[in-house]
Amino acid sequence: MDHQQEEKVQLFGMWASPYVYKVKWALSIKGMEYEYVEEDLGNKSGQLLEHNPVHKKVPVLVYNGRPVAESDVIVQFIDDVWKGQGGRILPEDPHERAMARFWARFVPDKLSPPIWKWFTTAGGEEQEAAREAAVEHLRVLEAELNLGRNEFFGGDSVGLVDLSLGALAYVIPMYEEIIGARLITEEMFPSLYAWMGRFLAAPPVKDHLPPMEELKLRFRAIREYFLKNA
Amino acid sequence: MASEKSSSDLILLDFWVSPFGQRVRIALAEKSLPYEYVEEDLLAGKSDRLLQSNPVHKKIPVLLHGGKPVNESLIIVQYLDEAFPDTPSLLPSDPYARAQARFWADYVDKKEFFGGEHGFGFVDAAFAPFTAWFQSYEKYGEFKVAEVAPKIAAWTERVGKRESVAKSLYSPDKVYDFIAVLKKKYGIE
């Protein structure tokens, strides 16, 4: 059944948001075409506010005129709506699905906050404490997520957990360059390190990455801002 | 030969007053699934079984199904829908409706309140446990839910009458007394 003709998909996003890329990668896994609308977050469009009145944020996916907000909700929606099409984002088995959903929460709940703190704090004790907290959580990830013979956490293709970790594959090296210190080395995190390279080269990801030079400038400015206003 | 997992393999590690644990109890009751309830006395410290079943967060509720752990209340509720497809579904079957249910359950988790009106479902199970705390909020906060959120007050009354909820929630007085115990223990006045 080809229902692509009747479907209209729009994605409201912002070029630097990792959550927007998560949705782009999910759409790419399903081979779906869509209209992309870039939002100026300092001057949000009427359409965005209408589609996401609760949080007023990107990304928002609009499917045949009906909006879906929150990147994790959107990704699962994409997997549901285009079930027979493209790759699987969530596994088949209920327990594996529960595990995938659990690990997908690990990044925003546990890992991202100390990484952000590390990036936005000047060198010193406080920054070192944040770095150590981040490393502790990365260790949990490295140990608990047994890649084994699999290329990705989703198996032989990118899945929900890969998508939730995904942005870190380009963000962490950028932070490391800006700060001048490493967070993930091949020595300390062999599985994660190898996964990062594979993820960035994976078919649904490699042509859908943010402009790196612009992003780096943006991150530098962000770090400067936080250091100045500490 | 693969062995079938039956619902008699269900164990819930929980703490009586936890609204997150109550979400799971409500879901299990909605589905008429029998299970073994194991009370973790969190004020006395965490059991080895809990620490092994949820090594990352070390929190209740944890559902053990055939010995395999599932963590996080909303993840557990979705798991029950998927592992027991012959029981009444909490999540709707339409993808868009499911997305809406997930969005609002996430909203509740972010500590905002919502009253559902479309038949008892995922969001109602997510939010119902918090209503047992309303009386305490009112007494401590000196406000009346009925005044500031009349729709929520009305929903609370409706949902409180549902058997699965009535059986799973503790009386508001018990919750109020528990808060007094906690305040004393942590020296908050």
Side-chain angles (χ1 to χ4, degrees), chain A residues 144-159:
Chain A
E144 290 288 335
L145 290 178
N146 213 340
L147 280 179
R149 290 173 176 274
N150 287 331
E151 297 243 307
F152 301 102
F153 297 112
D156 49 24
S157 62
V158 170

Side-chain angles (χ1 to χ4, degrees), chain A residues 54-55 66-70 73 76-77 80-81 94-95 97-99 101-103 106 110 140 144, chain B residues 55-57 68-72 75 78-79 82-83 95-96 98-100 102-104 106-107 110:
Chain A
V54 173
H55 298 305
R66 298 154 98 196
V68 184
E70 290 297 297
V73 176
Q76 290 191 73
F77 172 74
D80 275 348
V81 111
H95 190 260
R97 288 166 79 90
M99 291 309 291
R101 286 177 177 132
F102 175 80
W103 285 109
F106 188 77
K110 291 274 178 178
V140 171
E144 290 288 335
Chain B
V56 176
H57 297 303
K68 279 185 173 174
V70 183
N71 304 309
E72 303 284 305
I75 292 178
Q78 288 184 80
Y79 172 79
E82 290 171 350
Y96 187 75
R98 290 160 78 86
Q100 293 308 300
R102 287 192 175 114
F103 175 86
W104 288 112
D106 172 70
Y107 188 68
K110 286 174 173 153

Side-chain angles (χ1 to χ4, degrees), chain B residues 26-47:
Chain B
I26 289 169
L28 287 161
E30 279 291 315
K31 292 168 177 294
S32 304
L33 287 169
Y35 63 98
E36 185 194 337
Y37 178 87
V38 174
E39 180 74 13
E40 289 277 333
D41 184 0
L42 296 181
L43 292 177
K46 293 172 184 181
S47 74

